[in-house]
Structures are given as structure tokens and as C-alpha cells.
Amino acid sequence: MAEGDSPTVARRRVRLALREAREAAELTQQQVADEMEWSLSKVIRIEGGEVSIAPNDLRPLLTYLGIKDRARINDLLQAAKIARTRQRRFWWQAPEFREHLTDPLRRLIEFEAEMAAIRYYCFYHLPGPLQTPAYAEALMRKWDDELSQEQIRYRVEARQRRRETLDARLDHMQIYILIDESVLWRAIGGNAVMAEQLEQLVDLAASGHVHLRMIPFAVDTPMTNNAAFEVLVLGEDVPENAVLYRENGLTDELVEDLATTSRHRNRYDKVWSAATDEATTVAFVRDRIRALRAAEHSPPGDPNKQ
């Protein structure tokens, strides 16, 4: 058991161990439910991280799954106890956010409060927790034919709350942003909004907590081009501690399968190595800010106005 594990991390350790043991034993969730005299939904919720398992339930389950190593059993029982430690109710658990945020996104937010590092791959817009309120609002308004006004309001608010959490933890984590050049040219919200957004991004890079690299149009390297994604690390930076969140215009999902998370991390590292270095990227962003500010004050019809 890792010293200082939070209830969130401890619950994840237990449920991943249970799922791995069940799959190794070639058992279905229904078979586990029948043997333990539980409902199928209980097994699904435990493995999905929606609820914690009580130590008294865990003991017979470990026996059924064939886990016999005494140290391993004690480790999981201790983790189960920590996972059930009473925590204050967090904002993303409130009914209004449960209604308007997807389940994968709410789980992502829970992990963001614990992560040691995060790697963003962006090909359309900047990462949610790094967005200014004006940028987030303008971006959400592009989907107002699919999202209600209430959904937009709560999603924008969620992004600002996530930013507050990130700001409070900057000294305890590292942020890596791999951004396609097109994102820097796409003036979401107009010149003034985009300039403000990029100014904030440069300030974060100057702090030393954010590492920023651009994928220029001219780069020739295999890229993930069908979805933005984020790889979070909970604790020590080893493959087993990675969590993947990915989304496209229609769906989002949170993935903890080791093969999938490792594949995305490896691809990320390859593109990171091929991307423009951090100093050159920041210089490019500063040039974009100057151009946006100049265009902002250009008269109507001016060819320099973007």
C-alpha cells in the first residue's frame, strides 16, 4: 500500500485489482454476482469505481477470485478501508453537475484533484482546465444546437472550478501540453478573447509548471487525429498509474486498460520529441498574441484584420 494514498487512489487500486483477478480467472461479472449473492449492478459499480467495497465483502471475494498471497490480501484490505474513509462532498458530486456533466468527465475531475502529472494532446482547442471563461464560453456556444443553455452554463463553470483546483496544485504536479499549430491560428471567440487566452498560456509556461510544445504543420510524424486525449498519472510515473481520457465531438470516455494507456503514452512521447521545442513554441505564441492584438485594433476592412 503506497503511503499517503487518498481514498480516490485507494479505491482505484482495489477495483483494478479485482477486475484483473476476475478476468484472469475467466469469470464474468454475472458469475461473480451470482457467487457473492449480489446484484450485477453492484459488481459493475464496484469495478467502475462508482462505489467502494466493504472489507467484509472483499475478503470472500478475494478467496473466490483465487487471491491467496497474504501480503497481497492485507494490502487490498487496507486499501479498501482507506477507500471508505469519509470525505467531504465535492462540487462535481452535486446534483446539478451530475446532471450536466458526463460520467467519464466527472471521474476525470476526481482524478485531476489527485494527479501528479498530466499530458494533453490538443488538435482543436486548448485543454478545458486551462481555458479562460471567455474562451470556454465561446467554445461551448459553438455547440448550442446540441447543448441547452443550462448545460453550457454548468460546463463552463466546471472548467473554471477545475482551473482553481489546478492552480492550487501547481507546485505538486507537472503539465505537458502538445498542441497542434492549427489551435493557435483558430481564434475562438474572436481576436481579443484568443489573445487573452494565449497570454494566460504564456504566463503558465513562464511559471515552469507548464511545458508547451507545438506540432507545426510541416512536421511529418504519426499523430492521433481522431480525438483529443489526456494521460493522467496518479502517483509515481509508471504505466500502472496512468489514466486515459479521450473525447471527440460526440463522445468521451475514461480508460484504464494498461495496453491502451501505454499505447497513447508512447505515441505522445514520439510526437513530443518531433514537435517544436518549448522556447520556439512560446516565441511563436507571443507572435500570435501580437498579431491578434494588432488585428483587434485594426479598422474594418483592414487586410491585417484577422
Side-chain angles (χ1 to χ4, degrees), residues 89-291:
R89 187 175 182 85
F90 293 102
W91 63 266
W92 61 82
Q93 297 169 325
E96 60 269 26
F97 287 106
R98 293 184 67 87
E99 179 181 355
H100 297 298
L101 303 180
T102 65
D103 289 342
L105 179 55
R106 286 189 292 105
R107 289 176 60 201
L108 170 69
I109 294 170
E110 181 178 12
F111 286 140
E112 285 177 341
E114 305 285 345
M115 64 187 178
I118 187 166
R119 290 169 173 84
Y120 293 105
Y121 172 80
C122 316
F123 76 97
Y124 179 71
H125 55 73
L126 289 165
L130 301 183
Q131 294 174 6
T132 64
Y135 184 96
E137 179 84 16
L139 183 61
M140 286 293 176
R141 293 295 173 193
K142 292 181 178 296
W143 305 99
D144 60 5
D145 59 332
E146 299 180 18
L147 299 174
S148 68
Q149 295 302 307
E150 195 172 27
Q151 284 177 309
I152 291 174
R153 179 165 64 87
Y154 279 110
R155 292 190 181 193
V156 170
E157 182 179 345
R159 294 191 175 189
Q160 299 316 303
R161 293 193 182 212
R162 291 166 68 195
R163 175 58 187 271
E164 292 170 4
T165 298
L166 183 148
D167 285 343
R169 302 192 65 249
L170 279 176
D171 290 334
H172 306 285
M173 60 177 294
Q174 290 292 318
I175 301 171
Y176 301 86
I177 306 174
L178 189 52
I179 186 170
D180 188 76
E181 182 178 342
S182 64
V183 175
L184 301 174
W185 286 99
R186 188 173 296 111
I188 291 175
N191 295 323
V193 169
M194 189 64 182
E196 178 192 34
Q197 175 66 76
L198 294 183
E199 286 165 350
Q200 186 179 97
L201 185 63
V202 167
D203 289 343
L204 284 170
S207 73
H209 297 293
V210 172
H211 307 278
L212 177 67
R213 288 194 177 189
M214 178 182 72
I215 310 169
F217 292 137
V219 74
D220 183 18
T221 188
M223 293 186 292
T224 301
N225 57 11
N226 62 340
F229 68 85
E230 305 164 21
V231 180
L232 295 78
V233 178
L234 302 172
E236 185 182 357
D237 194 356
V238 294
E240 293 77 12
N241 289 340
V243 177
L244 169 70
Y245 176 79
R246 57 188 174 188
E247 60 179 333
N248 56 39
L250 299 175
T251 62
D252 66 339
E253 61 178 337
L254 193 140
V255 182
E256 296 175 283
D257 172 70
L258 182 58
T260 304
T261 58
S262 296
R263 185 171 64 251
H264 279 73
R265 172 63 188 274
N266 290 339
R267 177 61 56 82
Y268 189 98
D269 289 345
K270 287 180 181 178
V271 180
W272 181 267
S273 297
T276 302
D277 65 63
E278 294 176 50
T280 304
T281 298
V282 170
F284 184 93
V285 175
R286 291 186 187 279
D287 285 342
R288 287 293 300 132
I289 293 170
R290 284 190 286 270

